[in-house]
Amino acid sequence: MKEEIAKIKENSIKEIDTCKDLKSLNDVRVQYLGKKGELTIVLRKMGILSPEERPVIGSLVNEVRDELERLIQEKEKQLKKEELLKKLRTENIDVTEPSKKTKLGSIHPITQIIKEVEEIFLGMGYEIADGPEVEKAIYNFDKLNTPPDHPARDVQDTFYISDDIVLRSQTSPVQARVMENQKPPIKIICPGAVYRSDSVDATHSPVFHQIEGLVVDKNIAMTDLKGTLEMFAKKCLGENTKIRFRPHHFPFTEPSAEADVSCFVCGGKGCRVCKQEGWIELLGCGMVHPNVLRNCGIDSEIYSGFAFGFGVERIAMAKFGIEDMRLLFENDVRFLKQF
Ligand code: DAH
């Protein structure tokens, strides 16, 4: 039996040595050390040995098994190393090959206008304020001097969450929130989404965006409002832009006005964009109503202010020559990537 074991040892060592890959090494392992392997079979035959021989042969087999396991492990390490080197040699990476370009998106036209307007007003020392889109009716209406029977409060026009909570129909409630939380001087703009119960068509959408402006300080006059808006119009729409004010009514301003700008496409001669008018309606504005100041805890005897608000979509459409507002919300990339 000793010779048999010696033979197994000799053969297996040779075979391990000549293995060229991990697969054949594993085959050798199974052939000698596996459940039905040659060395295992020797162990099973120990029954025929005398009690004196058994421990001798047993420890011999164990010795050989340990040795084979060690050799196989070593060989395995060596083969793995060789395989890695081979891989590294054949699969070299060309670092000069141009990479796949990730497609860059573009900034949505509405966001572009908001950012541009923010930059202009930041440059004039304004801060950017924010307020909730789900708003208390008291902020959207009451504090802004808009009484309960005002038509804008009708369920036909405004989305009600409950009797006293609405989806804000304008960014103006942010005025009230800022005045309640901040002492004058106040100089803010507030961009954001607003909601109205309008059906969708080329110029209407139940959700759109506005930018609100508010200035409150001592001695603020209508001339400050006009100068500010003129400066804004020139920066946003071009140096040659003219601005005109028409009397209007808003509950939260007195006096109130609407402002038009000379058409920045035709310069005022009349074209498709301005519908042959030469002017484009831009925004609503006015001097903050003393009731609004009082409602928000500001002494209207000491302070005065102006406010304005305008629709972002309207400016985006005029500036980018977009004729249908729906395109701004459909978010078709073929449309969006043009801007
Ligand atoms: N909130 C008004 C609207 O949605 C726009 C507006 C008009 C805002 C006059 C103002 C303002 O701040 O003074 O039609």
Side-chain angles (χ1 to χ4, degrees), residues 29-188:
R29 185 205 317 267
V30 173
Q31 187 191 335
Y32 291 98
L33 303 175
K35 262 195 204 153
K36 292 176 188 159
E38 291 179 29
L39 210 56
T40 321
I41 288 167
V42 171
L43 272 179
R44 293 223 183 97
K45 289 198 288 198
M46 299 251 283
I48 59 170
L49 298 176
S50 69
E52 299 83 54
E53 278 177 310
R54 252 178 241 163
V56 181
I57 297 297
S59 71
L60 183 62
V61 169
N62 282 342
E63 235 172 67
V64 174
R65 194 208 289 121
D66 289 348
E67 163 112 40
L68 291 185
E69 270 169 2
R70 191 179 56 77
L71 288 173
I72 288 174
Q73 234 175 36
E74 258 171 36
K75 187 73 183 177
E76 190 176 315
K77 255 195 218 156
Q78 182 202 334
L79 287 173
K80 276 189 176 161
K81 212 169 162 185
E82 278 170 16
E83 250 168 49
L84 181 67
L85 282 174
K86 203 165 107 194
K87 238 181 166 178
L88 286 176
R89 244 178 275 121
T90 52
E91 294 179 6
N92 50 2
I93 295 164
D94 180 0
V95 291
T96 65
E97 187 169 331
S99 62
K100 276 192 203 137
K101 284 225 168 70
T102 26
K103 280 192 193 137
L104 269 192
S106 57
I107 307 221
H108 193 284
I110 291 175
T111 313
Q112 284 187 40
I113 299 290
I114 290 175
K115 294 283 160 220
E116 198 179 313
V117 173
E118 282 181 355
E119 283 306 313
I120 293 170
F121 280 99
L122 285 171
M124 295 198 269
Y126 284 65
E127 283 174 58
I128 294 165
D130 200 7
E133 291 174 22
V134 180
E135 180 58 286
K136 290 182 176 154
I138 208 175
Y139 282 102
N140 198 71
F141 297 121
D142 301 76
K143 286 179 194 273
L144 298 175
N145 204 34
T146 308
D149 59 355
H150 192 278
R153 301 185 69 147
D154 201 293
V155 284
Q156 300 274 346
D157 291 319
T158 298
F159 292 114
Y160 280 82
I161 303 284
S162 64
D163 284 347
D164 50 4
I165 296 178
V166 299
L167 294 185
R168 68 177 179 194
S169 60
Q170 48 188 356
T171 42
S172 306
V174 182
Q175 288 189 30
R177 288 186 172 273
V178 171
M179 284 190 277
E180 281 186 351
N181 285 307
Q182 208 175 307
K183 292 260 148 301
I186 292 169
K187 261 174 107 173
I188 56 110

Side-chain angles (χ1 to χ4, degrees), residues 317-329:
M317 288 168 76
K319 255 190 122 159
F320 295 120
I322 298 164
E323 288 186 355
D324 193 324
M325 195 192 275
R326 285 169 283 206
L327 290 165
L328 287 168
F329 296 104

Side-chain angles (χ1 to χ4, degrees), residues 14 88 115 144 158 186 202-203 222 225 277-278 306 334:
K14 242 190 257 161
L88 286 176
K115 294 283 160 220
L144 298 175
T158 298
I186 292 169
T203 53
M222 190 95 183
L225 168 65
E277 297 271 328
F306 68 74
R334 290 169 301 180

Side-chain angles (χ1 to χ4, degrees), residues 125-127 178-179 181-188 214-220 298 302-305:
Y126 284 65
E127 283 174 58
V178 171
M179 284 190 277
N181 285 307
Q182 208 175 307
K183 292 260 148 301
I186 292 169
K187 261 174 107 173
I188 56 110
L214 172 71
V215 171
V216 181
D217 204 351
K218 288 177 183 154
N219 302 318
I220 296 294
I298 290 180
I302 302 176
Y303 294 104
S304 56

